[in-house]
Amino acid sequence: MATPGALPGSTSGGPEPGGTSTAAVPYAVELRGITKRFPGVVANRDINLRVRRGEVHAIVGENGAGKSTLMKILYGMYRPDEGTILLDGTPVTFRSPADAIEAGIGMVHQHFMLADNFTVLENIVLGSEPTRGGRLDLGEARRRIGEISERYDLGLDPDVLVETLGVGDRQRVEIAKVLYRGARTLILDEPTAVLVPHEVDDLFGNLGELTREGLTVIFISHKLDEVRRVADSITVIRRGTTVGTADPKTTTARQLAEMMVGSELPSPETRESTVRETPVLRLQHVTVTTPEGRAVVDDVGLVAREGEVVGIAGVEGNGQAELVDAIMGLRRLSAGTVVLGDEDITAWSTRARREAGLGFIPEDRHRQGMLLEAPLWENRILGHQTRPPAVKGHFIDRRAARADTERIMREYDVRAPGPDTLAVALSGGNQQKLIVGREMSATPRLLVAAHPTRGVDVGAQTVIWELLKDARAAGMSILLISADLDELIGLSDTLHVMLRGRLVATLDPARLTPEELGGHMTGARTAAGAA
Amino acid sequence: MTRLRRVGLALFAPVLAVLVAAVISSAVMAALQVDPVRVFQVMFDFGSTPDEQVTALVVILNRAIPLFLAGLAVAIAFRMGLFNIGVEGQYRLATIVAAAVGAAIVLPGPLHVLVIVLVAMAVGALWAGIVAVLKVTRGVSEVISSIMLNFIALGTASYLLTGPFRGSAPGASIVATKDLPESGWLPGINGVFSALGLVSPPRELYGFLPLAIIAGVAISVLLNRTRFGFDLKASGMSPSAASASGVDARAMVIKTMLLSGAIAGLIGLPDLLGKTHSYTTDFTAGLGFLGIAVALLGRNRPGGIALAALLFAFLDRSLVPLQIASYPASVVTIIQGTIVLAVVIANEIARRIARRQAERSSVLPAAAGPGAGGGGPGTGPTTPADDTDERQGAQA
Amino acid sequence: MMKTAALLLAGSLALAACASSQNNSSASGSSSSGSSAGGNLKIGVAYDTGGRGDKSFNDSAYAGIQAAVKQHGGKFTELSPNADASNRADLLTQLADQGYNPIIAVGFAYSDVLGGVAKQYPNVTFAQVDGAAAALKTQPAPNNFTGLLFAENEGSFLAGVAAALKTTAGHIGFVGGVDTPLIKKFEAGYIAGAKAVNPKIKIDSQYISPAGDFSGFNDPAKGKIVAAGMYDGGADIVYHAAGGSGLGVFKAAAAANKLAIGVDSDQYQTVGDPALQAVILTSMLKRVDNAVQKFIGDFVDKKVTGGKDVINDLKSDGVGLATSGGKIDDIKTQIDQYRAKIISGEIKVPVTP
């Protein structure tokens, strides 16, 4: 082990928790002195990692610390410049992910790669379709999937369409897909980023089943509480190298955080109220129905005032996305009104709403927030096509757009070579900072921020929180939709809970714990409270 | 990122495509026991006298003009992710109506031509507009509806030609609309050759050339420099992001198809105004489909489309000398076909290279100032290389 | 995913567009033989769309040129237009630039461009199969142009004679492809010939498609329906002037166990199906080969006057009846009598019915 941690809980490869293993048993996965250079930068330097068979091994570190590069090396996407990979004590060389899969390594990506209009069965076999005599043999596949689902308690129905599944189920499909290909070691990249608390619990239950059956799980995360809950051992990576290992039982989150970044974790808390009287957004009886007539947003009414952050909590899929769409004019209301300031904007186009002072940080920045294949300066224009500085009359002002993009990059700490860089080349955090900077630059009256810090690293998260706080203090009204309960409680002045399309509770974030909020979100609390 | 590098990258794909096509077709020719070197020599032989050479140039340019317009029409829709397969029907219908209207009216010269041009654009736009309306209101795929409308357009054109718009004498072997009066002709512009000190060839260079160039420049400006162009491009790249940014997707489909159809309406005009002066049963067909290949080769950029049109025109001209030199004309067909395929491949390669370069270049500044973050969470160092997993995964 | 699929679709369409030109391209053949006076003869030929191998005009013209080259020596080069036939003028000018003389264009579609090209190359002699001097865009027709026309009415007259002599029902039919003046010419001759034999004969006439809709030349299914109607109505011999649709006429004849008469080429030889051969009484021949060969002969002998049309009629063997299959051998004398009367001018065959 390269750098023995100086912390109490850290070990240097000595006796491990649950350490029934002896020196004779080789590690399931072992990395020795892995170094990976890209032109001009060393992404991984002298990485050492030892993972026992049958354990959940967490790799923690800030985004940008080199975790993903490391995982890509292990998954055969990159080849290390130095160092060796050993599986069960045998050195291996991967030329492609296919080699890694062959060797029993599977990857569950943060962003699911499932075909919506295929069934679970079809998605799982996709790419390794079982054939008999050249014909698709789904019977055999169905049998094996049933077996996998049974053994690891995944609870999959092979014949439902993936588009009907929730996030947690989709993740289980991804896991089943990897298991179907015979993986003995699973790499899970930020698996909890998209999950709500009870789904996280389910996932951790599944991971337990996996390890009980002798499978090995490598768990990448920067959520330290979760890591401490689920991991059997932890390796910390900072700035491209392994800085130590830790025992989750004896190490506190704070200590881990210090290992990761060298200082305390940031807090989203804002306590001083800056709420003013003037309402900015008023929703009255807002109802959105599906084509089949089911109300996905049901009679929602709320007010957001100047200087106020109104939080919407809820388990994902309870109508938050549709509510955001309704406010932004992306979805037609079947009833109700949306009032911005003094104007009824219910019938307005999205463009008119934006021009009237609506800012938008979308939930899925790749889908709604960015043109990935376009340069940053064009992304600066997106959503602001009709307003200066990027536009002059009907023409695009390229120079001004570039200049303003540079300003945003400077002021909002967007790390990129320049305004001509393609958006796709930026990390998630930098993309998000660009979006936030872009929306803030237009000084909207109301900012609709859907999951503003999802999938971004701690550093960017702090920056974004600070920006939201500053904007609030300056009188901006913010509608915050999030799955991060700390974020919701910490930032909101008013907190609504959304369940099955309705606002079922209005809570005071100053006196609320995440656990209580979680209860409201699942409906348990509300029922009790109403009784 | 230097400008030179970007231009180089933009040129890379088409050049690669042409090279790949040349190699593949050489291999095919060799397999057919045809000497590829000799074939290429013949293709590049423009004749011995200046007269012949300039004529060859005129032939290529005259052929390239409609191809360019066809490519442009296809590309406009392509840019927003719409596949206007219906360019063929749009221009055929536009040309016959324009020919009939042009023959029926008498106006002073330039005005007469202008009316014909506007009529053609309007008809093309309307026909393409049907596709757009079907897509917007009924969700009909524009690929299907535009192919279907091609059949209807050709049938309608044939009906109009033999019915209401028939201008040729009964008994003529070629059925034609009435000839345009001379005021509706667009005279050749062989003056440029004299101006350039070249021989004026016996063939007239179409007077439509400057109009086509204007159309190309206008479309280029529209696509690259205006809000409309930005909305169009954004809709093509990501419809969801575009509508979230305030682009009205439905209106955009309609506007784009109208524009594409309007340009498609121009395709037949170089021939109509410069040569045939009437729409006949023998009017050049198939340009709409060639336009798809031209747009692909030109990567949907007006400049690229111009080069692609010239290349196709050049290949087309070489059909004749190849036959005279006793080579199979199918050689040219092979080259054209392989170019189209090679383009698809080369575009993908170029796209990947561009991406990789972008990724690599974004790693660099992180290396330039890595220590700056110093570990403080507020300014935590973010190495962009870290977020590439989903992309890599998508390729895997 | 969708995008790739659509891209492939588009690509394949484009390929299809390209591929269609393959049909039109033909290997260029040049042969030189003979040591006669015309040894330096350089004949250029520009085909109509379809190129050589169409079993029709283009092939027939090719046969004539071959025969001419055999007779007079020299060589020839043949060109086919591109897929959309937009380069017809280029074919002619490039041949002229390369020193080919005479240049023969096959098909009336060259009328649009030939006048201008002939004017541009006054020292080259041009001929156009099926092209009339009056149809050129440049009027008066340049005197280095010759239209090679055919007296289809005279050939059809003989077809009418044969039909009238062979019918047992006293009832025959005519199927025209498209209602055009050219096809009317066939009909007129046919009716006149039949009536000359039997003034009381019953003749059904029908066209597959109206003027302007050229589908009638290439719609065997409709040809079959029209002819079957005639056979059902009592006709026992049907003459078709319907191009590709004629195949349907033969099929209807085979189905009804009746007879049919082919057109343009000796269809007994080209139909390629013994069952259909059996129903082909004869074919009205349009001897493009003879016309081309004769024109080249005139050119070698410097007898081409130009500026007008040459009508290839019975007299010059430009039209005639095919005898393959031997089904009209027994009436050969009667047919030859009518032929002689037409050649002598005793019978004037009308051009409109």
Side-chain angles (χ1 to χ4, degrees):
Chain A
M1 198 55 57
T3 320
L7 292 156
S10 73
T11 64
S12 25
E16 301 273 342
T20 48
S21 60
T22 65
V25 179
Y27 292 102
V29 177
E30 183 176 3
L31 304 185
R32 288 187 193 154
I34 296 286
T35 298
K36 176 68 187 172
R37 295 182 197 89
F38 291 105
V41 69
V42 183
N44 281 168
R45 174 168 43 86
D46 193 27
I47 292 266
N48 291 289
L49 176 69
R50 293 172 189 180
V51 183
R52 283 197 177 73
R53 175 142 311 288
E55 73 171 357
V56 175
H57 190 107
I59 296 176
V60 298
E62 272 202 293
N63 272 0
K67 299 182 309 250
S68 292
T69 306
L70 177 61
M71 286 308 108
K72 270 180 248 173
I73 288 171
L74 188 51
Y75 193 51
M77 286 172 169
Y78 292 158
R79 296 182 69 174
D81 298 316
E82 290 167 24
T84 40
I85 303 172
L86 294 95
L87 296 185
D88 295 318
T90 318
V92 291
T93 313
F94 295 148
R95 273 181 302 273
S96 70
D99 288 351
I101 292 168
E102 184 74 13
I105 292 179
M107 175 94 122
V108 176
H109 295 276
Q110 185 178 355
H111 294 253
F112 303 146
M113 294 170 191
L114 300 173
D116 270 359
N117 49 355
F118 275 20
T119 63
V120 168
L121 171 73
E122 287 162 341
N123 265 292
I124 290 175
V125 300
L126 191 68
S128 58
E129 293 85 350
T131 52
R132 195 163 55 188
R135 291 180 49 194
L136 202 56
D137 181 14
L138 288 180
E140 165 66 10
R142 189 184 303 277
R143 193 189 59 71
R144 277 192 54 204
I145 290 166
E147 198 179 287
I148 289 170
S149 173
E150 179 89 0
R151 165 136 43 118
Y152 303 111
D153 195 22
L154 296 176
L156 295 176
D157 178 350
D159 295 315
V160 294
L161 284 181
V162 160
E163 64 183 359
T164 65
L165 295 183
V167 179
D169 283 327
R170 284 172 189 237
Q171 192 167 52
R172 280 190 282 281
V173 174
E174 286 277 7
I175 291 172
K177 188 167 177 162
V178 167
L179 293 172
Y180 182 83
R181 283 158 182 70
R184 305 283 304 151
T185 301
L186 281 78
I187 305 170
L188 278 75
D189 187 9
E190 303 271 2
T192 61
V194 291
L195 302 180
V196 292
H198 77 92
E199 287 174 332
V200 171
D201 295 341
D202 290 347
L203 171 69
F204 288 174
N206 292 138
L207 296 187
E209 296 291 336
L210 295 176
T211 49
R212 249 194 297 291
E213 293 288 334
L215 271 60
T216 309
V217 175
I218 298 177
F219 184 97
I220 302 171
S221 183
H222 55 240
K223 294 193 179 169
L224 303 181
D225 288 328
E226 290 174 356
V227 163
R228 286 178 57 246
R229 264 172 66 201
V230 73
D232 298 311
S233 58
I234 300 173
T235 297
V236 182
I237 293 185
R238 172 153 44 113
R239 292 172 60 187
T241 192
T242 36
V243 293
T245 59
D247 178 352
K249 291 198 176 60
T250 55
T251 314
T252 65
R254 188 157 296 276
Q255 287 165 335
L256 272 178
E258 280 186 21
M259 282 177 81
M260 271 168 63
V261 297
S263 96
E264 286 179 36
L265 278 179
S267 148
E269 307 234 331
T270 52
R271 281 292 76 108
E272 261 167 86
S273 176
T274 57
V275 181
R276 305 176 198 173
E277 277 310 299
T278 331
V280 178
L281 177 77
R282 276 176 296 165
L283 302 183
Q284 287 153 351
H285 308 294
V286 169
T287 304
V288 176
T289 47
T290 61
E292 299 83 49
R294 190 169 59 86
V296 280
V297 175
D298 195 356
D299 195 23
V300 165
L302 64 80
V303 178
R305 295 181 176 78
E306 281 183 5
E308 183 181 31
V309 176
V310 176
I312 308 267
V315 176
E316 225 159 304
N318 273 286
Q320 301 96 317
E322 290 80 3
L323 178 64
V324 169
D325 283 354
I327 296 169
M328 290 310 300
L330 296 168
R331 208 179 271 258
R332 211 175 288 217
L333 303 190
S334 45
T337 50
V338 180
V339 179
L340 183 69
D342 299 326
E343 284 179 291
D344 182 347
I345 61 166
T346 314
W348 289 20
S349 69
T350 303
R351 176 154 290 168
R353 289 175 198 222
R354 277 180 167 273
E355 284 169 353
L358 232 59
F360 185 28
I361 301 173
E363 165 183 355
D364 183 341
R365 60 179 164 268
H366 289 178
R367 208 171 74 79
Q368 292 194 303
M370 304 219 100
L371 302 173
L372 288 175
E373 302 277 354
L376 297 185
W377 68 264
E378 287 189 359
N379 275 291
R380 164 66 185 88
I381 301 172
L382 192 70
H384 304 260
Q385 286 102 313
T386 52
R387 283 170 283 176
V391 173
K392 237 190 260 166
H394 277 276
F395 288 87
I396 300 281
D397 188 340
R398 292 182 169 211
R399 185 172 304 166
R402 283 207 176 86
D404 198 58
T405 308
E406 277 171 0
R407 177 190 64 80
I408 290 176
M409 290 168 61
R410 220 170 31 244
E411 290 180 11
Y412 295 85
D413 189 34
V414 179
R415 309 283 179 88
D420 286 316
T421 312
L422 296 187
V424 70
L426 267 61
S427 73
N430 282 318
Q431 287 175 345
Q432 193 73 355
K433 281 187 279 185
L434 182 80
I435 292 176
V436 173
R438 169 180 85 193
E439 298 302 322
M440 294 292 189
S441 300
T443 52
R445 284 197 277 168
L446 174 80
L447 178 70
V448 178
H451 306 278
T453 60
R454 168 174 285 181
V456 307
D457 57 281
V458 180
Q461 188 178 44
T462 314
V463 173
I464 291 168
W465 281 340
E466 287 304 324
L467 289 168
L468 294 178
K469 284 183 211 169
D470 292 348
R472 164 183 173 270
M476 192 185 290
S477 178
I478 297 173
L479 190 67
L480 174 70
I481 294 92
S482 180
D484 183 333
L485 305 189
D486 291 327
E487 179 172 273
L488 279 170
I489 294 171
L491 289 179
S492 303
D493 296 299
T494 312
L495 192 52
H496 298 284
V497 179
M498 200 164 182
L499 181 66
R500 287 190 273 281
R502 305 181 72 97
L503 294 189
V504 292
T506 304
L507 307 167
D508 179 0
R511 293 181 302 242
L512 190 68
T513 63
E515 287 69 28
E516 282 166 2
L517 180 54
H520 282 286
M521 284 162 62
T522 53
R525 282 269 173 171
T526 317
Chain B
M1 167 153 342
T2 64
R3 192 170 199 88
L4 196 70
R5 196 142 160 213
R6 257 185 299 164
V7 170
L9 208 60
L11 280 177
F12 174 76
V15 169
L16 181 73
V18 170
L19 281 181
V20 169
V23 169
I24 296 177
S25 45
S26 297
V28 174
M29 280 186 258
L32 296 172
Q33 310 207 314
V34 175
D35 178 6
V37 179
R38 187 71 201 111
V39 165
F40 287 121
Q41 268 175 2
V42 171
M43 289 172 70
F44 282 97
D45 181 8
F46 281 8
S48 45
T49 66
D51 213 48
E52 282 174 35
Q53 286 160 1
V54 181
T55 302
L57 206 62
V58 172
V59 167
I60 291 176
L61 282 173
N62 280 356
R63 174 73 174 167
I65 295 167
L67 285 176
F68 170 69
L69 293 167
L72 208 56
V74 173
I76 291 166
F78 258 151
R79 280 274 275 246
M80 107 152 248
L82 287 172
F83 294 90
N84 184 3
I85 313 289
V87 169
E88 178 74 16
Q90 287 149 23
Y91 94 83
R92 301 275 285 277
L93 203 59
T95 311
I96 185 170
V97 175
V101 171
I105 56 171
V106 181
L107 285 170
L111 198 60
H112 198 159
V113 172
L114 184 70
V115 168
I116 295 173
V117 169
L118 291 179
V119 167
M121 290 177 80
V123 174
L126 279 178
W127 201 251
I130 299 175
V131 175
V133 169
L134 283 175
K135 185 177 176 76
V136 167
T137 59
R138 287 268 154 267
V140 181
S141 156
E142 77 279 6
V143 177
I144 309 291
S145 61
S146 60
I147 290 175
M148 294 303 152
L149 279 167
N150 273 346
F151 290 109
I152 300 175
L154 299 194
T156 310
S158 148
Y159 162 75
L160 290 174
L161 182 57
T162 55
F165 293 170
R166 181 180 191 130
S168 55
S173 310
I174 301 175
V175 184
T177 57
K178 233 168 79 189
D179 270 6
L180 298 176
E182 206 148 333
S183 59
W185 299 7
L186 202 52
I189 47 167
N190 279 3
V192 264
F193 294 111
S194 334
L196 290 171
L198 295 169
V199 203
S200 181
R203 194 75 59 84
E204 286 290 328
L205 177 60
Y206 283 158
F208 209 83
L209 179 62
L211 294 184
I213 292 173
I214 291 170
V217 172
I219 293 297
S220 179
V221 168
L222 186 71
L223 291 183
N224 295 319
R225 303 278 165 154
T226 66
R227 256 162 56 182
F228 174 80
F230 183 88
D231 286 355
L232 192 150
K233 186 178 165 190
S235 306
M237 281 182 166
S238 168
S240 51
S243 47
S245 83
V247 178
D248 182 343
R250 291 157 169 251
M252 209 58 211
V253 167
I254 292 180
K255 284 183 202 162
T256 305
M257 283 305 282
L258 288 179
L259 184 62
S260 172
I263 297 295
L266 297 175
I267 296 170
L269 297 189
D271 283 340
L272 178 70
L273 301 177
K275 190 172 78 178
T276 63
H277 307 307
S278 65
Y279 184 91
T280 69
T281 40
D282 214 36
F283 200 84
T284 310
L287 292 171
F289 295 123
L290 282 174
I292 297 171
V294 171
L296 271 177
L297 184 59
R299 301 191 77 202
N300 299 329
R301 293 185 179 86
I305 292 167
L307 290 178
L310 286 170
L311 176 67
F312 268 55
F314 164 78
L315 288 172
D316 209 64
R317 191 210 76 99
S318 62
L319 274 171
V320 183
L322 278 175
Q323 290 188 73
I324 290 179
S326 302
Y327 285 107
S330 49
V331 164
V332 169
T333 311
I334 292 171
I335 296 175
Q336 274 176 336
T338 46
I339 283 181
V340 174
L341 282 181
V343 164
V344 178
I345 299 165
N347 274 352
E348 183 58 27
I349 293 174
R351 201 180 63 86
R352 287 196 182 182
I353 288 179
R355 248 193 182 191
R356 199 155 306 159
Q357 274 195 349
E359 280 172 20
R360 202 164 285 174
S361 66
S362 70
V363 171
L364 286 168
T379 52
T382 43
T383 308
D386 208 59
D387 200 53
T388 50
D389 50 356
E390 60 240 61
R391 301 195 297 282
Q392 294 287 347
Q395 287 172 13
Chain C
M1 195 76 158
M2 173 63 194
K3 204 173 169 189
T4 316
L7 209 61
L8 283 175
L9 173 71
S12 65
L13 278 172
L15 277 180
C18 298
S20 63
S21 73
Q22 203 147 21
N23 307 331
N24 309 330
S25 59
S26 71
S28 160
S30 64
S31 62
S32 52
S33 68
S35 51
S36 59
N40 52 0
L41 194 59
K42 269 177 87 178
I43 308 164
V45 55
Y47 290 126
D48 204 347
T49 42
R52 188 145 64 75
D54 68 345
K55 293 191 176 174
S56 184
F57 287 9
N58 292 328
D59 277 0
S60 195
Y62 171 73
I65 290 164
Q66 262 194 329
V69 167
K70 210 168 203 173
Q71 190 184 345
H72 306 289
K75 60 173 188 166
F76 68 95
T77 285
E78 33 179 7
L79 302 182
S80 300
N82 58 355
D84 50 22
S86 58
N87 66 346
R88 285 207 171 93
D90 300 337
L91 299 182
L92 301 174
T93 54
Q94 293 234 14
L95 284 170
D97 281 339
Q98 301 290 325
Y100 287 90
N101 191 16
I103 293 171
I104 296 162
V106 183
F108 61 74
Y110 282 95
S111 296
D112 270 357
V113 297
L114 200 42
V117 175
K119 229 171 132 184
Q120 188 190 329
Y121 297 93
N123 299 324
V124 179
T125 303
F126 293 89
Q128 184 190 7
V129 173
D130 259 353
L136 294 184
K137 283 224 162 181
T138 317
Q139 293 295 345
N143 57 14
N144 56 338
F145 169 86
T146 305
L148 303 178
L149 298 179
F150 297 85
E152 291 94 349
N153 54 332
E154 294 185 5
S156 299
F157 186 95
L158 295 187
V161 167
L165 290 172
K166 280 287 179 183
T167 178
T168 52
H171 186 175
I172 58 175
F174 171 81
V175 175
V178 181
D179 191 354
T180 66
L182 178 66
I183 304 302
K184 289 263 188 212
K185 222 167 138 189
F186 287 80
E187 186 193 354
Y190 179 69
I191 292 173
K195 292 246 159 106
V197 175
N198 173 8
K200 283 192 215 137
I201 195 164
K202 193 174 172 213
I203 305 168
D204 294 334
S205 270
Q206 211 171 328
Y207 287 83
I208 296 176
S209 67
D213 176 2
F214 285 93
S215 66
F217 283 135
N218 205 5
D219 195 341
K222 264 202 183 141
K224 187 174 174 184
I225 292 169
V226 171
M230 290 180 179
Y231 290 122
D232 286 349
D236 58 357
I237 298 175
V238 173
Y239 171 42
H240 86 85
S245 306
L247 190 63
V249 175
F250 295 149
K251 284 183 173 161
N257 206 13
K258 306 268 174 76
L259 290 172
I261 300 175
V263 80
D264 288 349
S265 56
D266 185 352
Q267 294 201 285
Y268 184 89
Q269 303 289 357
T270 57
V271 76
D273 177 351
L276 297 185
Q277 270 184 340
V279 303
I280 299 178
L281 176 66
T282 176
S283 296
M284 196 288 280
L285 299 176
K286 189 164 161 179
R287 300 297 299 268
V288 174
D289 50 347
N290 284 358
V292 168
Q293 187 184 358
K294 181 167 170 297
F295 172 78
I296 295 169
D298 288 351
F299 175 81
V300 172
D301 301 341
K302 304 208 163 35
K303 289 199 309 205
V304 174
T305 42
K308 60 187 176 64
D309 302 328
V310 172
I311 314 285
N312 294 276
D313 52 12
L314 280 177
K315 191 176 172 186
S316 62
D317 261 341
V319 292
L321 278 193
T323 54
S324 309
K327 293 193 192 69
I328 55 166
D329 289 356
D330 54 334
I331 53 170
K332 187 170 181 298
T333 18
Q334 285 133 300
I335 291 173
D336 283 345
Q337 279 166 9
Y338 281 105
R339 186 199 307 270
K341 282 184 188 166
I342 295 169
I343 291 172
S344 71
E346 194 183 330
I347 295 178
K348 290 259 180 280
V349 184
V351 292
T352 48

